[in-house]
Amino acid sequence: MQKFSAFSLARQAVGRHLGWRPQWRSVAPKPSYDIIIVGGGGHGLGAAYYLAKQHGLRNIAVVERGWLAGGNTARNTTIIRSNYLFEQSSSYYEHALKLWEGLSEELNYNVMFSQRGCLMVAHTVHDVQVFKRHVYANRLNGIDNEWLTPEETKAFCPPLNISPNIRYPVLGAALQRRAGTARHDAVAWGFARAASDLGVDIIENCEVTGIDRDPSGKVTGVQTTRGPIRAGKLGVSAAGHSSVVLAMAGIRLPLQVNPLQALVSEPVKPAFPCVVMSNTIHAYISQSDKGEMVIGAGTDSYVSYTQRGGLHIPAHTLEAICELVPDFRRLRMLRSWGGITDNTPDRSPITAKTSVPGLYVNCGWGTGGFKATPGAANLFAWTIARDEPHPINAPFTIERFRDGTLIDEAAAAAVAH
Amino acid sequence: MLLIDCPYCGPRAEIEFAYGGEAHIARPAADVSEVEWSAFLYLRDNTKGVLAERWRHSHGCGRFFNALRDTRTDQFHAFYEIGTPRPDMGGAV
Amino acid sequence: MSGAFRLAGRGCIDTTRPVVFRFDGQMVRGYAGDTVASALLAEGRHLMGRSFKYHRPRGPVSAGSDEPNALIGVGEGGRYTPNLRATQVEIYGGMVAVSQNRAPSLRFDIGALNTLAAPLLPAGFYYKTFMWPRGFWDKVYEPLIRRAAGLGRAPTAPDPDHYALHYAHCDVLVAGGGPAGLAAALAAGQAGARVILCDENAECGGSLLTDTYSLIDGLPCGEWVVRIVAELQRLPNVQLLTRCSAFNYGPHNMVALNQRLTDHLAMPPTDMPRERIWQVRAREVVLAAGALERVLVFEGNDRPGIMLASAARTYLHRYGVACGRKAIVVTADDAAYRVALDLAEAGMKVAAIADLRPAPGGPLVEAARARGIEVLPATTIQRAHGHLRVTGAELAPVGADGTVGKGRTVSCDLVLMSGGFTPSLHLHSQARGALRFDDALGVYLPGESIERVRSAGSCRGVFALDDVLRDGVAAGLAAAGGETGPVWTVTRQDAPGTGGFAGVLPRRGPGHLALAFVDFQNDVTAKDVKLAVREGFRSIEHVKRYTTTGMATDQGKGSNVNALAIVSNVLGRRPEEIGLTTYRPPYTPVTFGAFAGHARGDQFDPLRLPPMDAWARAQGAVFEDVGLWRRARYFPRAGEDMAMAVARECRAVRAVAGIFDASTLGKIEVAGPDAAEFMNRFYVNAWTKLGVGKCRYGLVCRDSGFVYDDGVVGRIAADRFHVTTTTGGAAGVLNMMEDYLQTEWPDLDVWLTSITEQWAVIALQGPRARDILAPLVDGLDISAGAMPHMALREGTIGGVPMRLFRVSFTGELGYEINVPSSQAQAVWDRVWQAGAAFGLTPYGTEAMHVLRAEKGYLIVGQETDGTMTPGDVGCSWAVSKVKPDFIGKRALALPALNAPDRLQMVGVLTDDPRLVLEEGMQLVPAADSPMPMSAEGHVTSSYFSPALDRSIAIAMVKGGRGRMGTSLYAPSLDGPAVKVMLVDPVFYDPEGARLNG
């Protein structure tokens, strides 16, 4: 692997940058691999990397139906945080956050992880109760999270409107200082480059069309648009298409895909110092290194694989942004897009073995998968390599829906009374 | 924004409707196995293709109805009443 | 005439109306109808902006919304807007405009030093460095990068303008008012269709506005446009919207338009919105989006004074501006010859036309030669000279084998370039229409679409004017279902252009240090694109993301095809094998505020007010938001803080009586012959034996077995229940009821009606409640014997119909007086007056919470969080053991939902009775437990109880009911852990003597 550094950049500049080699080898499939990862997004590429790096496995392929990291890795709003309510969730996301903190060095690829802090803004008495419960629960688990008064919130993020005279005044915020954003594409490219360097085959434009199993039911390989490939184990990390792929092995998942839209403004000079999320009025916003305000909208309600949704959804989000940050009303939407989120009934992911021997799945990340990228990849690799989950992802099974042991982060924010 | 043809009211904008998820999932009796019960509760085909789904005209007549929609394009192929079988679209879809 | 480069007698500006504005503090004189760019160009100024990365000096390259370079900030204070295109901003008297991304000035920008470092800053350089030392990224490097990046500064004051949102339906929406769009709109309009025609410019006409050569029915194009526009305006079924961009093509022919109403006005009417978003549902859509001329990629192609040939034509004919004195034209297309001829005719010198094609020919080429313009076939532009303005260019011959020979330098102050025209496919593609690569034209064209849409004119590769008009008519007729449409004869026109070029121009030598820009604004060079390919980024999406080409504010309108061609050439693969980046809405940027429209301030979300809201406000209540409702939280008296007010309200309820507006409770009437059966199936409780005139606490689970909602249900009649829900759960419960009734139990004859808004609820609670109420209820016997706890009576109160529930959420003797909302205030006033002598006290939601917590009553959403069973919250008693089925029954039998270590609702007492725990605190086994650790439970409700004169709390604790009397610890955020004891959650009057009194 060509080392990346200021020095190598200068040396290549002398050579007019003609000496750079492909960052990863995009290859044709071999007839057989020990492990095939289906899905070349951040999670899948990362899983391949950790399988090679931490579990000493080498004969691994990642197959991707389109261009590498062209799904939700390319489409999210890059927020990274670990201040989830339930211990199972926060442990998982904290595992990821710790990996994020060293990821650029680990991969020798600047993923631009920027710990700018994430404010979760409370607008109602109920919000305050819920977010304070988050703060207490996170502290217990060694996860930083603190409560800010409205004035402290404003001091941390000056553009926020904390006037008591707006429809939903800001009553305070939970702040995780270690939270932040990263450059989403870079994460996938960095994992691809490092995995490729460890011998992982990265196979683009290769769609899985079938899963082969022996008479005992065990996975033996896949059928693809580039021909059959044998495999000892199959790890599916296909986000919105997980249901489609798992159906090839006769497995139905507790998943429903919904469009999720996001948008950016035209770039402006630094004007927004952190990540702000508001569940009550449905908006989240941060400013990218380029200067664009990156804004996430709510999900459209229906099942769709179209990667687009109704304009009323981002319009509603912008209503909320204009309330939270009225100075930004004259900023302009530059670009908007949609992704396919794979949602479980309890809005928590699945990283687990399946009922089919040799078949593993990492899915159900809904609207929050990017922040988990290195953590999910790392634990999925563990699960595949050892044929058993790591203690952190052990609760995130498919069977929890049968047993009723849900990890219901969505319901935890329930509003009533 | 989708245009949804309520069988009782005619075509209306999506914001008048609430989504009801996959259609034709019958609620089993209370004595079924855990596996069957959880399948009813949680397992979905999540079809990429023509999906039979439920909508409710919640800001209109209030009625639930079914629709066939291609989740690859969001184009509707049929709208039909709750309790009636999924229309046979023949080779069309 | 002001402006040294203004040409008398040309252009559509109004020279009788001079307009003075400021640009970077300097006065600039223009005329009504000018843009900032045209007015500056009229003064000979091309330098208008600085690029993103290298801070290169830049001038306008286009004359429209696709402009990548000339971005400016306009306005002051709350009306300041960054990143507007100078080529689009119409001037008005007093306008203040500033250049961007430069310091200290546009001419001398320190950031331009970045150009010197360009060899160190290739595409994606930031992925390869800034990693050492660890921790420097977000403290040192990133802030530097952020300061250098961005374009204009963000506004720092709230926008005083307002915006509007408009929904519309039409038969035919025509997007684009050029020749094809005008023809389509007229054809459709004359066929009787309801037509909306929109165009992003100040006036319709498109390319016809700058075409002084062609004649339609013998008329100059401009006159023809005036005639057609007048005809359209005469048709009542046609709506014509200018300054209005179709920017988003959503599913099912929903097209969003952004209409700019006031930005061009010096004194906009105060009641006029600045912009309006139209959400148009069109039966049919005609896209007449036109085509955009492509830039050429060569060394120094970004120097001010280098622009698209079509732009120079626009400045000449629309604004009467000569963009220079001496021009060089570089082209691969015939259309630029017409521009050269126009310039020459206007008195400008055209030094040479360098044509990349080996043997250009045809009438236009001959006309240029005849005019004395030197035409250089097989000639490329090796490089452009100059810094703040182009001063010349080296034109060099291209041999048959593609090699470039030694050229000669030609001085000039203007270089016009034309790489041919790229059809605008944005809207077609947003609607998920297919694209197909046309080998003959060398561009993508629209393919099949699932929507009812058709493209017309140059956006589908039809370029000759007569063909465009016929195409427009055909599209309009087809969309409207018309038979015959208007027919025009184009009596003079240029033959459609042939040729075209995409990619990097041929050059002599490797040009390692040459900067040839593909994406001007983002400073992406041809070498950057090649580097990306070299590093393995082969999908065009990867190239875009790695280099940022096409991601600037023009969204690749000028750059995408060139980038694609470069990748295609390097890889030796056809363009369609490489693909095209997804066209993402909006077509051009749209103001955030326009999306928000009137949904701001109080209009942001509907505000639901309970009937006694005005009364509560008059009493000085403090409010809280609960869902959409605004509820009185407490009623402070002079000098009281919240704690004092709540304590007083609580004591009053316990001692005398309190009055509370409980109208926000959700209410549903369940009626019909099968109402009881429906209730049996829906609730966990049994209802068959509930007598008429009786109430019962009801609990709703989901089929997952988890508590969803609760509320008191009264039986009005054998076939009629009055159901209450939580405030937040009302809509959800009704939807869930409808869901099961309509889709699971169609056998049941039941009607469900939301009655939340119909019945106001006045809660009267306290030991004197009966004494206050009895005289008011028109003879109804509410004595303890006649109307015990959980009884329900219908009657009147002062003649007003009433459903009277004897229920208590406080533990005291209490009533909930349901009366029609319209008469609720009058009834409230009567109760209030009757209670005055007793000391009746209004109380708010906070006291309500304290009072119910003293009694250990749960609040769904506070004690429960969507993972609690009835058993967890101590309500197993409510769950029927005998009903064959109800919602949640099967799941409640799951072992996991009956595990002994489930979280269970308990009471919690601190050792220090003054210490009030914070809600959300976690409970752990030991005071000094090391972190990280697992919690045994958490505090859900916590208050100071005036009745007990000590703090109380409710918590959910693992196996809590079996741990009564044991201790846990609640770690605080900034002090020692607090020791607590687990107790029964009913703190007050556990026997229930008071509520039964």
Side-chain angles (χ1 to χ4, degrees):
Chain A
M1 187 164 79
Q2 282 177 305
K3 176 133 177 85
F4 285 169
S5 68
F7 176 72
S8 68
L9 199 59
R11 204 182 53 211
Q12 288 289 345
V14 173
R16 300 180 291 271
H17 298 289
L18 297 174
W20 292 113
R21 294 196 297 274
Q23 296 192 359
W24 66 83
R25 299 169 298 111
S26 191
V27 300
K30 292 191 294 193
S32 175
Y33 293 93
D34 293 341
I35 300 171
I36 292 176
I37 303 291
V38 180
H43 285 223
L45 292 165
Y49 167 75
Y50 288 114
L51 279 167
K53 176 83 177 180
Q54 296 189 333
H55 302 280
L57 299 160
R58 285 294 181 274
N59 191 22
I60 303 164
V62 177
V63 295
E64 164 57 45
R65 61 194 282 269
W67 44 284
L68 217 59
N72 292 346
T73 302
R75 293 161 192 276
N76 69 88
T77 51
T78 81
I79 297 171
I80 294 161
R81 61 185 179 89
S82 65
N83 53 347
Y84 279 67
L85 179 61
F86 291 116
E87 188 182 322
Q88 301 95 314
S89 314
S90 61
S91 299
Y92 200 152
Y93 290 103
E94 179 66 14
H95 179 65
L97 181 51
K98 290 215 171 86
L99 289 169
W100 276 114
E101 286 173 328
L103 199 60
S104 291
E105 292 80 4
E106 164 96 23
L107 300 177
N108 179 230
Y109 207 102
N110 189 354
V111 300
M112 303 187 188
F113 179 43
S114 171
Q115 293 183 290
R116 314 168 59 68
C118 175
L119 288 170
M120 300 179 75
V121 179
H123 299 276
T124 67
V125 174
H126 184 260
D127 283 353
V128 174
Q129 288 167 347
V130 170
F131 290 152
K132 283 192 173 173
R133 185 178 163 198
H134 279 72
V135 170
Y136 280 104
N138 290 156
R139 290 285 192 93
L140 209 59
N141 292 304
I143 294 165
D144 79 301
N145 198 354
E146 58 197 277
W147 179 255
L148 302 188
T149 64
E151 293 71 29
E152 290 167 337
T153 305
K154 173 92 178 165
F156 194 79
C157 185
L160 274 189
N161 180 9
I162 62 161
S163 158
N165 300 319
I166 58 175
R167 178 71 180 83
Y168 294 111
V170 172
L171 302 185
L175 166 64
Q176 184 175 30
R177 293 182 190 271
R178 289 165 60 238
T181 55
R183 175 82 182 100
H184 51 353
D185 295 322
V187 180
W189 299 340
F191 272 129
R193 172 169 166 267
S196 177
D197 187 58
L198 292 170
V200 172
D201 275 1
I202 292 168
I203 305 161
E204 293 181 82
N205 301 306
C206 180
E207 182 169 359
V208 170
T209 55
I211 294 176
D212 297 331
R213 300 156 68 185
D214 69 14
S216 75
K218 186 181 181 315
V219 165
T220 58
V222 288
Q223 299 289 322
T224 78
T225 50
R226 297 177 73 171
I229 315 174
R230 289 194 304 280
K233 291 179 176 178
L234 197 60
V236 178
S237 193
H241 284 82
S242 299
S243 298
V244 176
V245 177
L246 272 276
M248 297 170 193
I251 293 177
R252 290 175 88 208
L253 286 171
L255 281 186
Q256 177 178 296
V257 295
N258 296 99
L260 177 68
Q261 300 178 68
L263 63 105
V264 294
S265 74
E266 294 179 302
V268 288
K269 293 294 179 190
F272 204 76
C274 59
V275 181
V276 166
M277 311 179 62
S278 166
N279 291 341
T280 296
I281 64 174
H282 307 299
Y284 39 106
I285 176 171
S286 65
Q287 187 172 16
S288 72
D289 285 343
K290 261 192 89 180
E292 297 161 335
M293 298 299 164
V294 184
I295 293 168
T299 47
D300 288 80
S301 64
Y302 48 85
V303 172
S304 179
Y305 289 84
T306 58
Q307 295 188 323
R308 64 173 180 159
L311 188 63
H312 59 293
I313 303 286
H316 182 61
T317 299
L318 289 172
E319 292 170 7
I321 294 296
C322 289
E323 284 302 285
L324 274 180
V325 196
D327 292 359
F328 288 176
R329 272 193 202 116
R330 282 175 106 94
L331 289 185
R332 303 195 295 173
M333 178 201 281
L334 173 61
R335 183 168 66 242
S336 68
W337 63 90
I340 309 168
T341 62
D342 45 329
N343 300 289
T344 61
D346 65 359
R347 298 295 186 268
S348 288
I350 294 167
T351 307
K353 298 167 66 169
T354 70
S355 55
V356 172
L359 182 61
Y360 308 83
V361 66
N362 173 42
C363 67
W365 286 97
T367 61
F370 178 72
K371 65 175 73 67
T373 301
N378 184 269
L379 299 175
F380 194 38
W382 173 294
T383 306
I384 296 169
R386 303 193 178 206
D387 194 37
E388 65 177 17
H390 185 280
I392 293 176
N393 67 306
F396 294 86
T397 60
I398 302 175
E399 289 74 27
R400 73 177 186 268
F401 297 100
R402 180 194 66 202
D403 299 338
T405 49
L406 306 188
I407 308 158
D408 202 336
E409 287 286 340
V415 179
H417 76 265
Chain B
M1 192 187 300
L2 305 181
L3 185 65
I4 299 172
D5 198 354
C6 172
Y8 310 100
C9 305
R12 296 288 189 276
E14 177 196 334
I15 47 172
E16 294 186 17
F17 296 84
Y19 191 59
E22 197 169 319
H24 304 298
I25 295 177
R27 184 173 180 271
D31 56 358
V32 297
S33 70
E34 287 173 15
V35 171
E36 287 172 88
W37 188 256
S38 64
F40 152 69
L41 278 183
Y42 300 122
L43 298 189
R44 298 293 179 264
D45 283 344
N46 203 20
T47 308
K48 185 179 185 183
V50 177
L51 171 71
E53 64 188 7
R54 311 184 315 152
W55 289 89
R56 182 181 178 221
H57 196 183
S58 46
H59 298 290
C61 63
R63 301 285 290 274
F64 278 84
F65 58 89
N66 292 334
L68 292 183
R69 184 175 52 89
D70 192 326
T71 61
R72 295 164 300 188
T73 62
D74 290 339
Q75 295 297 301
F76 284 106
H77 293 294
F79 297 91
Y80 57 104
E81 293 189 24
I82 291 287
T84 58
R86 175 178 170 139
D88 180 6
M89 304 302 291
V93 290
Chain C
M1 293 293 288
S2 66
F5 289 79
R6 192 77 73 174
L7 302 169
R10 291 180 186 274
C12 313
I13 46 165
D14 184 350
T15 53
T16 66
R17 289 167 58 206
V19 172
V20 178
F21 68 102
R22 284 182 184 276
F23 180 68
D24 278 348
Q26 292 177 329
M27 299 257 275
V28 182
R29 293 173 189 284
Y31 296 102
D34 261 327
T35 63
V36 169
S38 68
L40 288 171
L41 289 170
E43 296 197 338
R45 281 190 71 165
H46 278 253
L47 178 62
M48 295 182 200
R50 288 276 173 172
S51 65
F52 193 86
K53 182 167 153 187
Y54 299 138
H55 289 245
R56 303 264 295 188
R58 293 285 168 78
V61 70
S62 81
S65 65
D66 53 329
E67 174 58 35
N69 284 337
L71 303 188
I72 56 173
V74 177
E76 295 175 288
R79 291 198 163 88
Y80 160 77
T81 313
N83 300 341
L84 297 177
R85 289 112 178 95
T87 51
Q88 225 184 350
V89 175
E90 299 172 57
I91 60 169
Y92 55 81
M95 170 190 274
V96 174
V98 292
S99 60
Q100 303 187 147
N101 202 33
R102 79 290 183 268
S105 76
L106 190 54
R107 292 183 64 83
F108 303 101
D109 178 12
I110 196 79
L113 289 171
N114 287 357
T115 299
L116 299 177
L120 288 170
L121 311 175
F125 71 95
Y126 29 75
Y127 299 126
K128 294 172 176 159
T129 182
F130 304 129
M131 287 177 279
W132 185 90
R134 181 171 168 172
F136 261 43
W137 167 250
D138 47 5
K139 302 294 180 294
V140 180
Y141 302 129
E142 190 187 37
L144 282 172
I145 288 178
R146 281 175 178 264
R147 272 202 295 280
L151 290 166
R153 66 172 177 84
T156 51
D159 180 359
D161 288 330
H162 69 280
Y163 300 85
L165 182 62
H166 187 76
Y167 285 88
H169 294 261
C170 66
D171 297 320
V172 181
L173 172 71
V174 182
L182 288 172
L186 190 61
Q190 287 177 347
R194 287 175 304 146
V195 176
I196 293 176
L197 168 65
C198 68
D199 190 275
E200 66 173 344
N201 295 303
E203 46 192 307
C204 285
S207 60
L208 296 177
L209 298 176
T210 61
D211 183 348
T212 53
Y213 178 76
S214 305
L215 298 173
I216 308 172
D217 286 347
L219 291 174
C221 293
E223 287 179 37
W224 183 84
V225 169
V226 170
R227 204 186 82 195
I228 298 301
V229 167
E231 278 185 52
L232 287 168
Q233 283 169 335
R234 273 197 300 275
L235 289 173
N237 51 323
V238 175
Q239 187 154 26
L240 222 165
L241 304 172
T242 53
R243 297 189 181 91
C244 186
S245 314
F247 68 89
N248 181 306
Y249 197 143
H252 303 173
N253 264 9
M254 190 82 162
V255 182
L257 322 176
N258 178 226
Q259 187 181 21
R260 298 175 303 281
L261 295 165
T262 64
D263 267 7
H264 61 292
L265 302 175
M267 299 286 284
T270 52
D271 59 346
M272 185 183 277
R274 177 176 175 235
E275 295 176 15
R276 177 184 290 127
I277 284 185
W278 293 67
Q279 289 255 48
V280 180
R281 183 80 70 182
R283 195 171 53 75
E284 301 278 345
V285 172
V286 175
L287 299 177
L292 291 171
E293 197 169 22
R294 285 195 295 281
V295 300
L296 295 174
V297 181
F298 56 90
E299 180 180 354
N301 64 341
D302 64 324
R303 293 302 177 195
I306 302 178
M307 59 168 51
L308 293 167
S310 59
R313 194 183 199 198
T314 300
Y315 289 115
L316 176 63
H317 294 312
R318 296 265 298 139
Y319 305 104
V321 171
C323 290
R325 307 260 188 236
K326 184 181 175 191
I328 293 172
V329 176
V330 187
T331 185
D333 174 83
D334 288 350
Y337 283 82
R338 174 56 63 198
V339 180
L341 287 165
D342 283 5
L343 262 54
E345 187 269 333
M348 295 159 69
K349 175 155 180 58
V350 179
I353 298 176
D355 198 318
L356 289 153
R357 296 169 295 181
L364 274 168
V365 178
E366 293 317 314
R369 287 196 172 113
R371 179 111 204 162
I373 300 173
E374 185 179 16
V375 175
L376 303 168
T379 299
T380 186
I381 180 167
Q382 171 76 10
R383 63 173 295 206
H385 300 289
H387 179 56
L388 295 178
R389 177 73 184 267
V390 65
T391 55
E394 184 190 338
L395 304 180
V398 185
D401 59 350
T403 57
V404 175
K406 186 85 180 131
R408 63 181 165 106
T409 296
V410 179
S411 72
C412 67
D413 63 356
L414 183 66
V415 174
L416 303 182
M417 51 188 171
S418 178
F421 289 81
T422 306
S424 288
L425 305 167
H426 304 71
L427 292 169
H428 171 82
S429 183
Q430 284 176 21
R432 293 293 189 270
L435 304 177
R436 60 181 180 84
F437 193 78
D438 186 279
D439 283 314
L441 292 170
V443 293
Y444 279 98
L445 294 179
E448 293 294 307
S449 177
I450 50 169
E451 299 288 353
R452 299 186 65 86
V453 61
R454 41 182 62 75
S455 294
S458 58
C459 71
R460 72 176 196 103
V462 174
F463 289 107
L465 181 56
D466 53 355
D467 292 339
V468 167
L469 293 175
R470 274 195 295 273
D471 204 36
V473 169
L477 285 177
E483 297 284 317
T484 55
V487 178
W488 301 285
T489 307
V490 175
T491 41
R492 190 173 75 182
Q493 68 176 355
D494 286 323
T498 60
F501 189 88
V504 195
L505 291 195
R507 63 167 291 131
R508 184 182 66 255
H512 293 307
L513 292 174
L515 295 177
F517 290 90
V518 176
D519 185 309
F520 286 108
Q521 189 183 112
N522 276 355
D523 285 327
V524 180
T525 65
K527 278 186 300 188
D528 288 324
V529 175
K530 290 175 185 171
L531 172 64
V533 176
R534 190 177 308 133
E535 292 198 77
F537 296 93
R538 296 182 172 194
S539 155
I540 196 67
E541 287 280 358
H542 280 158
V543 172
K544 166 185 147 183
R545 287 158 181 276
Y546 193 65
T547 64
T548 73
T549 188
M551 298 183 80
T553 61
D554 64 321
Q555 287 292 284
K557 291 187 183 69
S559 59
N560 278 353
V561 172
N562 281 326
L564 177 65
I566 293 170
V567 175
S568 166
N569 288 337
V570 172
L571 292 177
R573 290 158 65 186
R574 289 168 47 77
E576 60 266 47
E577 293 177 58
I578 293 158
L580 200 59
T581 56
T582 312
Y583 286 98
R584 287 173 163 173
Y587 175 69
T588 48
V590 178
T591 308
F592 283 4
F595 287 102
H598 292 297
R600 58 194 279 187
D602 284 348
Q603 312 294 315
F604 172 68
D605 233 2
L607 181 62
R608 297 182 78 178
L609 299 175
M612 271 64 76
D613 175 74
W615 187 89
R617 265 186 290 133
Q619 295 285 319
V622 174
F623 294 88
E624 68 164 324
D625 288 304
V626 182
L628 293 176
W629 291 100
R630 187 175 75 194
R631 304 189 72 182
R633 194 174 183 198
Y634 57 97
F635 294 81
R637 290 182 184 163
E640 284 185 339
D641 62 10
M642 178 167 127
M644 293 160 69
V646 170
R648 174 180 50 73
E649 292 170 18
C650 289
R651 281 193 298 270
V653 172
R654 297 268 181 244
V656 185
I659 185 167
F660 174 72
D661 186 352
S663 304
T664 65
L665 279 179
K667 294 171 280 288
I668 300 164
E669 194 150 298
V670 178
D674 298 319
E677 175 60 18
F678 174 81
M679 293 295 292
N680 276 336
R681 295 186 193 179
F682 194 81
Y683 279 79
V684 303
N685 319 63
W687 298 95
T688 313
K689 289 178 182 163
L690 180 71
V692 173
K694 292 258 170 45
C695 313
R696 179 169 289 168
Y697 172 76
L699 199 59
V700 186
C701 283
R702 288 197 181 269
D703 255 331
S704 57
F706 299 123
V707 172
Y708 181 63
D709 203 81
D710 69 349
V712 169
V713 177
R715 192 162 197 170
I716 303 290
D719 60 353
R720 189 173 296 263
F721 291 84
H722 179 117
V723 168
T724 68
T725 73
T726 60
T727 296
V733 171
L734 179 60
N735 190 62
M736 185 172 153
M737 284 182 167
E738 289 284 2
D739 190 344
Y740 278 83
L741 180 61
Q742 292 185 37
T743 71
E744 296 293 345
W745 308 322
D747 54 308
L748 297 184
D749 190 359
V750 172
W751 291 89
L752 305 171
T753 308
S754 168
I755 51 172
T756 301
E757 304 280 356
Q758 280 64 37
W759 290 101
V761 182
I762 301 166
L764 184 63
Q765 302 275 314
R768 306 302 299 274
R770 184 187 295 119
D771 301 330
I772 296 168
L773 185 61
L776 306 177
V777 293
D778 303 345
L780 184 67
D781 182 359
I782 64 169
S783 64
M787 188 176 181
H789 183 53
M790 297 307 264
L792 159 64
R793 296 288 179 270
E794 289 187 278
T796 59
I797 179 165
V800 176
M802 168 184 71
R803 286 179 178 175
L804 183 64
F805 288 68
R806 183 168 166 196
V807 290
S808 175
F809 199 45
T810 61
E812 300 297 330
L813 162 66
Y815 300 91
E816 289 186 357
I817 309 160
N818 286 253
V819 290
S821 293
S822 57
Q823 296 169 79
Q825 186 61 56
V827 173
W828 177 283
D829 289 343
R830 288 174 60 89
V831 178
W832 178 242
Q833 283 153 19
F838 296 87
L840 180 64
T841 298
Y843 66 100
T845 52
E846 194 65 24
M848 178 264 280
H849 284 166
V850 177
L851 294 162
R852 66 89 202 176
E854 288 173 341
K855 286 292 293 177
Y857 296 144
L858 86 123
I859 289 184
V860 170
Q862 185 152 343
E863 271 64 53
T864 71
D865 61 10
T867 58
M868 307 296 176
T869 66
D872 297 341
V873 290
C875 290
S876 293
W877 56 268
V879 182
S880 164
K881 311 290 184 292
V882 297
K883 289 195 294 183
D885 194 8
F886 58 84
I887 297 174
K889 180 179 171 79
R890 176 64 189 88
L892 285 171
L894 293 174
L897 271 58
N898 296 280
D901 65 343
R902 289 190 65 82
L903 292 171
Q904 292 172 341
M905 185 169 139
V906 295
V908 165
L909 292 177
T910 52
D911 283 356
D912 174 1
R914 302 287 115 187
L915 182 66
V916 180
L917 296 170
E918 197 160 37
E919 286 162 355
M921 280 181 134
Q922 306 289 299
L923 299 173
V924 300
D928 51 356
S929 312
M931 310 265 182
M933 61 170 311
S934 296
E936 291 292 299
H938 62 275
V939 176
T940 57
S941 299
S942 179
Y943 311 96
F944 186 83
S945 162
L948 282 76
D949 192 30
R950 64 150 301 139
S951 63
I952 58 168
I954 298 174
M956 299 298 300
V957 174
K958 286 180 183 170
R961 278 197 294 278
R963 300 168 75 165
M964 297 299 181
T966 67
S967 290
L968 287 172
Y969 291 83
S972 66
L973 296 179
D974 44 17
V978 181
K979 188 180 177 197
V980 301
M981 182 185 289
L982 305 191
V983 299
D984 188 277
V986 185
F987 298 98
Y988 186 73
D989 186 27
E991 303 77 26
R994 300 181 67 88
L995 61 79
N996 285 311

